[in-house]
Amino acid sequence: MTGSPLGREIDRVDGPLKVTGNAPYAADYRPEGLLHGYLVQATVGRGTVRGMDVSRAEAAPGVLAVFTPFRSLPLSSPQPGHSGENYSALQDTAVRFRGQIIGLVVAETFEQARDAAALVTADYTITPSRTSLAAASPGVSQGVLQKLAPGVPSIEAALAASPVTVSTTVSQHAQHHIAMEPHATTAVWVDDQLTVYCGAQAPQRAAATIAARLGVDRAKVRLICRHTGGGFGQRSPVWNEALLCAAAARVLKRPVKLVLSREQVFTAIGHRGAVRQTIRLGAEADGRLLALSHDSDGELPAAGGWQMMPGRDTSAVAYRTPNIRIDQRLVTLDTPPTWSMRAPAEAPGMFALETAMDELAVRTGVDPVELRLRNYASADPIESRPFSSKHLDECYRLGAQRSGWHRRQARPRSRTDGDWLIGLGMASAIYPAWRQAASARARFRDDGMVAIASATSDIGTGARTMLAAVGADELGLPVSSIEAEVGDSALPPGGVGAYGSSVTTSTVPAVQAACRAAVTALVKAAVDNPKSPFAGLDPATVRYRRGRIEAGGRATDFRSLLRTMGMPSVEALGSTGPAAGADQYRFHCFGAHFCEVRVHRLTGEPRVNRFTSVFDVGRVVNAKAARGQLVGSIIWGIGHALLEADPIEPDGRFAAANLADYLVPVHADTPEIDVHWLDRPDPHISEFGARGLGEIGLVSAAAAIGNAVFNATGIRVHDLPITLDKLL
Ligand code: MOS
């Protein structure tokens, strides 16, 4: 091996397992005596289950049990203050939303369970559903973030005194995570020990939740998610389906597997809530901001859910302005639960802000890149805390250059190509960087491998490869000499949740600490163990270098040393805290998107032609994985802008709860995507300097597309997605 792997293109260490179908996911486990479950869901939007007829289902072939609110499975209620689903399934007869679980059929085979579930009938008392976000807005304020210049009485006064103002309201419907792996659980009890195979973003937290809700000791529950086919937020909590599966296995004294159909995932698992936002900007004639107001009304289901705060990490930090007010409100609706979904508040929030900034560019006649440079912030406008590291200006310049921004004509409908109108648009992205306390274990083994373990999860991002690469770098070994282990709650405590783009930021320091501690432990063993060639030496004279131990003119590799000493392994834990400057700095990632769209003059069809994005995300571990994350996020942005929406009907039914009606980008929607990053270490977040890049790519990608569509057509679409009917 020559030099460190860090920053290079590193192949996935689990790539061969995945592409050969040998990577086990939750539904791939087939323990002895396995039973299969199938859910029954409410078919009304709100009300009460008066009664259910399960007689035909119970008599169907292979059926062992039909659990309902009238023959329940014991589950305790969620903890107060818990922000997921706020009820336990089958514990009462209330119907909170259409699609709520009202039954679980368990049979010998999946087909038998599914067929029997179709035979279950329910009688309801129906109550009218509250489903319209617009009708129920404004919602309840979650607190106002505000800063006004001395002598300015209100944001209204600041806006009124501004020479130029822009007011724009944008809205978007529910969106869904659509992980490649549908939700699935395999629950196995051996005596009072429960093992749950279930995709999870935070294995240890999920195991703790399952233990609490089932009323068993935390030490008796192990959650295994060696491979997880997509997280995106929906696998950070534990949903009722997984809890019921484990509870049924306990009662029936046999393992139970519960695999949701693609359609069931749309309602049984939380979605990104619908949200309406209004941005008002006040500016000087040259575009310098004097006032910024951001109001949001987000969907909050009566059944519980994630509380979207779209202004907090977007408008509250993105630009310099003397007057600012953010009000984030939540609107209670009878919809399925909401949950955080990739760039959960930032993608909607920055769509609103960056659309308004484009409108301000149009109003003032200032170039959109120049407008952003004129309002460049080196500290956040509310608390005046400086950013730990910010090179967004470089992103703008490089992105403008690479995308050919100089070719843009400010006047809409200036460029055509046959029947296609061509437009260029840009937007700026921001996403919080977050370093959690983390732990990892490094173990030198007598087979010549080093095992690096952390109880985090690899949701497809390449976290396992990141562990291996950082271990390889730290120990001076090839990546192939490292065995990385994640996705098991039984690994050492302190594994971080795979959310908030924080795994790399948080875990790299822990892996480095673990490797350093393991080297110290190896040296100590080498001087302490009587069979060691280094026995009795002063440990300060013993040196570890690239897998070898050297002292007193002797050298041996760790494999031979361990064998000589008769020790199968030597290991150590590394634990690290949050960033040292956590209260001194604002930690954020930045980016600049530039895109070219074409819109058909006659049909209104919008297409994305080209996309160029430049990011400032700190230092990068794996160039290949980083590109995959950023390109993937931008493709999500194409979905956000042009395709994804699930409006809810007045009866509480999603209009598009399947992959035929709910559209996500496919290859034909995806242009060439040119992604760059500056690779400047953040000196304040950690020694390594990674700030995380899982979500930043999605932020503002939709705004760049919308701004390009305006440049092409002169039409500003405020309600996403931008479909052809809105461009005619
Ligand atoms: Mo992600 S929405 O931070 O799981």
Side-chain angles (χ1 to χ4, degrees):
M1 186 187 108
T2 53
S4 165
L6 296 184
R8 300 189 185 184
E9 305 260 338
I10 309 165
D11 288 340
R12 295 287 171 113
V13 294
D14 45 10
L17 270 185
K18 287 188 171 181
V19 299
T20 55
N22 287 306
Y25 290 80
D28 294 330
Y29 294 90
R30 292 178 187 81
E32 189 82 18
L34 182 64
L35 297 171
H36 297 265
Y38 201 85
L39 295 179
V40 180
Q41 294 176 279
T43 54
V44 301
R46 187 183 176 199
T48 309
V49 186
R50 270 209 310 259
M52 291 175 73
D53 182 356
V54 298
S55 55
R56 286 172 46 201
E58 282 177 340
V63 171
L64 277 90
V66 181
F67 300 103
T68 66
F70 307 101
R71 187 206 166 178
S72 188
L73 283 162
L75 285 181
S76 68
S77 298
Q79 300 292 312
H82 161 104
S83 63
E85 288 172 294
N86 58 16
Y87 69 100
S88 279
L90 310 189
Q91 307 305 303
D92 60 43
T93 57
V95 175
R96 297 158 179 85
F97 61 92
R98 192 181 187 108
Q100 179 186 313
I101 298 168
I102 57 165
L104 172 67
V105 178
V106 184
E108 293 288 349
T109 71
F110 173 77
E111 290 76 11
Q112 288 171 334
R114 184 179 57 187
D115 289 354
L119 300 173
V120 175
T121 58
D123 280 325
Y124 303 96
T125 307
I126 300 171
T127 318
S129 294
R130 299 161 293 179
T131 56
S132 167
L133 184 67
S137 294
V140 177
S141 176
Q142 305 299 301
V144 168
L145 302 172
Q146 179 168 276
K147 172 131 187 235
L148 299 172
V152 175
S154 67
I155 196 75
E156 308 301 330
L159 287 162
S162 300
V164 181
T165 54
V166 160
S167 173
T168 191
T169 296
V170 299
S171 60
Q172 60 181 71
H173 294 291
Q175 294 182 327
H176 301 276
H177 305 77
I178 320 283
M180 211 187 292
E181 180 193 11
H183 283 245
T185 308
T186 305
V188 186
W189 291 84
V190 176
D191 302 323
D192 62 346
Q193 283 278 347
L194 170 64
T195 304
V196 180
Y197 301 92
C198 179
Q201 291 176 240
Q204 291 178 329
R205 209 177 73 171
T209 302
I210 293 168
R213 300 286 290 279
L214 267 67
V216 300
D217 189 53
R218 165 66 187 87
K220 303 280 188 192
V221 178
R222 180 175 182 189
L223 185 135
I224 294 178
C225 56
R226 301 242 186 261
H227 301 280
T228 293
F232 321 132
Q234 89 271 37
R235 283 190 167 100
S236 43
V238 179
W239 301 94
N240 271 307
E241 37 94 45
L243 298 169
L244 289 175
C245 178
R250 175 163 61 179
V251 167
L252 297 170
K253 301 191 185 320
R254 284 173 65 180
V256 175
K257 180 186 292 186
L258 176 63
V259 180
L260 270 57
S261 70
R262 183 56 77 180
E263 288 79 0
Q264 288 175 331
V265 175
F266 278 78
T267 47
I269 304 299
H271 58 277
R272 191 206 296 275
V275 60
R276 293 165 54 83
Q277 304 172 78
T278 297
I279 304 272
R280 290 175 300 162
L281 302 176
E284 301 279 13
D286 66 1
R288 273 178 300 137
L289 286 172
L290 295 170
L292 191 168
S293 160
H294 188 161
D295 293 292
S296 60
D297 287 291
E299 167 190 351
L300 181 64
W306 193 75
Q307 305 177 356
M308 194 195 286
M309 301 294 163
R312 187 184 58 198
D313 288 307
T314 59
S315 297
V317 278
Y319 295 111
R320 189 179 57 221
T321 175
N323 300 290
I324 184 166
R325 184 177 191 274
I326 315 279
D327 189 9
Q328 302 166 109
R329 300 178 295 251
L330 294 172
V331 179
T332 301
L333 296 176
D334 301 311
T335 47
T338 50
W339 199 253
S340 64
M341 182 177 122
R342 202 160 184 174
E346 297 77 9
M350 285 302 276
F351 174 74
L353 179 62
E354 290 298 282
T355 300
M357 285 297 280
D358 204 62
E359 294 187 25
L360 182 61
V362 172
R363 288 289 310 281
T364 54
V366 176
D367 175 86
V369 175
E370 174 58 26
L371 179 71
R372 285 161 176 84
L373 287 168
R374 284 185 193 172
N375 290 292
Y376 200 77
S378 51
D380 77 88
I382 295 181
E383 295 173 17
S384 304
R385 254 195 294 165
F387 295 110
S388 58
S389 170
K390 178 174 179 178
H391 306 284
L392 177 58
D393 47 351
E394 230 175 296
C395 297
Y396 292 140
R397 287 191 191 106
L398 198 57
Q401 198 179 18
R402 295 193 65 92
S403 67
W405 182 249
H406 65 275
R407 288 199 303 264
R408 176 177 180 272
Q409 313 245 343
R411 194 170 50 84
R413 302 182 80 95
S414 296
R415 285 180 61 203
T416 55
D417 177 12
D419 281 333
W420 295 91
L421 308 170
I422 308 292
L424 290 180
M426 64 83 56
S428 170
I430 184 167
Y431 187 85
W434 181 36
R435 178 173 160 199
Q436 309 180 56
S439 291
R441 181 183 64 205
R443 176 185 282 163
F444 287 101
R445 292 197 319 224
D446 71 353
D447 62 356
M449 298 289 287
V450 179
I452 309 262
S454 182
T456 184
S457 178
D458 190 332
I459 57 175
T461 53
R464 190 181 262 110
T465 308
M466 176 274 291
L467 253 62
V470 174
D473 169 70
E474 190 60 41
L475 297 172
L477 296 170
V479 174
S480 58
S481 292
I482 310 288
E483 196 178 276
E485 229 189 319
V486 296
D488 184 344
S489 67
L491 291 171
V496 302
Y499 34 67
S501 300
S502 64
V503 173
T504 298
T505 312
S506 312
T507 307
V508 167
V511 171
Q512 291 175 326
C515 289
R516 288 166 197 172
V519 165
T520 304
L522 184 67
V523 167
K524 182 170 184 335
V527 298
D528 285 353
N529 189 300
K531 293 188 218 146
S532 160
F534 308 104
L537 291 182
D538 174 359
T541 65
V542 181
R543 186 159 173 240
Y544 170 92
R545 203 168 151 266
R546 295 187 182 178
R548 294 175 70 78
I549 307 291
E550 304 166 352
R554 287 165 169 277
T556 179
D557 60 67
F558 71 85
R559 175 175 171 275
S560 318
L561 175 65
L562 289 171
R563 290 186 175 193
T564 307
M565 298 192 298
M567 296 176 77
S569 64
V570 167
E571 68 181 50
L573 270 182
S575 296
T576 45
D583 41 7
Q584 217 175 324
Y585 298 104
R586 296 289 308 230
F587 293 93
H588 287 267
C589 286
F590 305 93
H593 296 292
F594 294 81
C595 88
E596 183 185 273
V597 302
R598 63 185 194 278
V599 177
H600 198 275
R601 193 168 65 82
L602 302 172
T603 67
E605 181 187 358
R607 310 289 300 173
V608 179
N609 270 357
R610 287 191 298 122
F611 218 105
T612 302
S613 302
V614 183
F615 298 98
D616 172 20
V617 293
R619 195 170 165 205
V620 164
V621 171
N622 180 353
K624 193 178 252 187
R627 181 167 292 107
Q629 287 295 296
L630 294 167
V631 166
S633 288
I634 290 164
I635 296 171
W636 279 61
I638 295 172
H640 186 192
L642 303 182
L643 298 164
E644 291 185 55
D646 204 350
I648 199 143
E649 309 279 1
D651 67 352
R653 185 201 306 252
F654 272 132
N658 57 67
L659 281 180
D661 296 318
Y662 186 84
L663 303 181
V664 294
V666 296
H667 283 301
D669 298 306
T670 307
E672 192 174 310
I673 297 174
D674 176 31
V675 153
H676 285 265
W677 53 87
L678 304 179
D679 216 7
R680 292 195 175 219
D682 185 318
H684 299 295
I685 202 153
S686 68
E687 175 191 322
F688 181 78
R691 271 201 309 262
L693 48 77
E695 292 164 273
I696 178 86
L698 169 57
V699 178
S700 300
I705 295 169
N707 296 343
V709 166
F710 176 82
N711 183 244
T713 63
I715 299 171
R716 182 74 66 182
V717 177
H718 293 104
D719 52 327
L720 290 175
I722 303 167
T723 46
L724 49 78
D725 51 301
K726 298 168 187 169
L727 297 175
L728 291 173

